[in-house]
């Protein structure tokens, strides 16, 4: 059942102006995923620029790998719709962007734009995305109208309707196509995030990831030089590694999902439990009769 919420106060122009203002001040943009209300509330109050709400978040915050959201273990669009009820009521200051699985065979993805906006989301992104697949499977889903071309259509429809959009891309060609389709932000994706209890065990080396991100950035800006580009995934799991991206590429900022919500929670809980475990009972037990 789709929850009821209030339409977002944010317009596409309002969000773009917000990001342009930060870029003019040479401050990196920061976007972050939220799969539960507590995370959304905390990062909203901390001053994040955009919150991303999509189906991988609840799986991630339940202790499962993000790829759970790409397998047949749930209705991705319904999960995102239901997530609105958990995260939107606790967010005060930040636009929240909804993921739409554009190849959903049981829904009209373009009509889903209005559905997500009516719930209170402020924009759209292409999650789950077929871009994460490769090889023969990727060719088959793209060729049978279940793959990435549908996501380009989704982003183009957002642009035509003046709806803010963030597009995940995995190759320079995809970056150029999404820029041409009118995406406001390009998330240059270099694979699943490493680190933690359920992070990817195999990611690009950081130098190779920076080169891949720069190639996608150049491709997107070759189409539109006003587009925002943010780094995402792979070895970029903490502030130190993200600084490497800022030092080596022309991205405008960073989009974190696991690195914003999962990894900090894992670390904080482990440290807190360890701190309590190191306490010592100092008083002698009372004598028992």
């Amino acid at each position: 059942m789709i929850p009821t919420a209030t339409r977002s106060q944010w317009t596409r122009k309002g969000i773009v102006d917000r990001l342009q203002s930060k870029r003019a001040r040479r401050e990196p943009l920061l976007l972050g995923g939220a799969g539960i209300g507590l995370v959304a509330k905390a990062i909203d109050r901390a001053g994040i620029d955009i919150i991303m709400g999509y189906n991988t978040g609840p799986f991630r915050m339940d202790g499962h790998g993000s790829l759970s959201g790409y397998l047949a273990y749930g209705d991705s669009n319904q999960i995102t719709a239901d997530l609105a009820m958990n995260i939107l009521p606790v967010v005060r200051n930040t636009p929240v962007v909804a993921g739409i699985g554009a190849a959903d065979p049981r829904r009209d993805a373009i009509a889903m734009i209005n559905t997500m906006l009516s719930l209170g989301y402020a924009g759209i992104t292409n999650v789950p995305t077929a871009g994460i697949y490769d090889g023969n499977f990727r060719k088959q889903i793209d060729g049978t109208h279940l793959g990435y071309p549908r996501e380009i259509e989704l982003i183009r429809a957002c642009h035509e309707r003046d709806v803010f959009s963030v597009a995940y891309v995995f190759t320079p060609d995809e970056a150029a196509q999404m820029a041409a389709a009118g995406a406001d932000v390009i998330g240059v994706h270099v694979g699943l995030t490493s680190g933690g209890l359920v992070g990817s065990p195999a990611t690009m080396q950081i130098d190779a990831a920076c080169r891949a991100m720069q190639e996608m950035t150049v491709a997107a800006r070759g189409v539109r030089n006003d587009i925002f580009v943010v780094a995402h995934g792979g070895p970029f799991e903490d502030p130190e590694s993200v600084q490497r991206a800022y030092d080596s590429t022309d991205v405008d900022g960073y989009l974190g999902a696991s690195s914003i919500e999962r990894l900090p929670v894992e670390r904080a809980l482990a440290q807190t439990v360890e701190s309590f475990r190191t306490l010592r009972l100092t008083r002698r037990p009372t004598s028992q009769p």
Side-chain angles (χ1 to χ4, degrees), residues 62-79:
D62 278 343
H64 311 299
S66 298
L67 277 184
S68 300
Y70 288 84
L71 301 175
Y73 301 131
D75 180 338
S76 64
N77 286 321
Q78 188 62 55
I79 291 171

Side-chain angles (χ1 to χ4, degrees), residues 140-270:
Q140 294 290 338
I141 58 174
D142 281 0
T144 55
H145 206 49
L146 292 170
Y148 201 80
R150 294 281 294 274
E151 299 170 32
I152 297 172
E153 294 172 9
L154 173 71
I155 297 301
R156 183 175 294 111
C158 288
H159 180 70
E160 292 169 352
R161 289 159 175 77
D162 200 31
V163 174
F164 180 79
S165 64
V166 179
Y168 283 102
V169 305
F170 298 78
T171 68
D173 182 58
E174 290 171 2
Q177 290 187 70
M178 282 299 197
D184 295 295
V185 178
I186 295 289
V188 286
H189 201 309
V190 289
L192 294 178
T193 304
S194 59
L197 300 175
V198 292
S200 174
T203 59
M204 286 187 188
Q205 294 296 314
I206 197 164
D207 290 339
C210 286
R211 288 193 295 271
M213 288 199 307
Q214 181 65 5
E215 290 173 1
M216 289 185 272
T217 301
V218 169
R221 296 233 172 93
V223 177
R224 283 182 28 234
N225 61 14
D226 64 329
I227 201 164
F228 301 101
V229 181
V230 293
H232 177 74
F236 303 105
E237 63 178 64
D238 53 30
E240 293 74 24
S241 56
V242 173
Q243 185 62 56
R244 288 280 300 277
Y246 294 165
D247 294 340
S248 305
T249 75
D250 296 318
V251 298
D252 297 299
Y254 177 65
L255 193 170
S258 291
S259 57
I260 291 289
E261 60 175 348
R262 175 179 63 80
L263 289 169
V265 169
E266 289 180 10
R267 292 165 182 154
L269 290 177

Side-chain angles (χ1 to χ4, degrees), residues 37-50:
L38 181 60
V39 167
K41 187 172 186 176
I43 63 179
D44 170 63
R45 305 305 193 271
I48 202 162
D49 295 308
I50 292 174

Side-chain angles (χ1 to χ4, degrees), residues 24-45:
R25 298 193 302 268
R26 296 298 302 155
E27 297 175 10
L29 309 181
L30 183 60
L31 294 71
I36 58 174
L38 181 60
V39 167
K41 187 172 186 176
I43 63 179
D44 170 63
R45 305 305 193 271

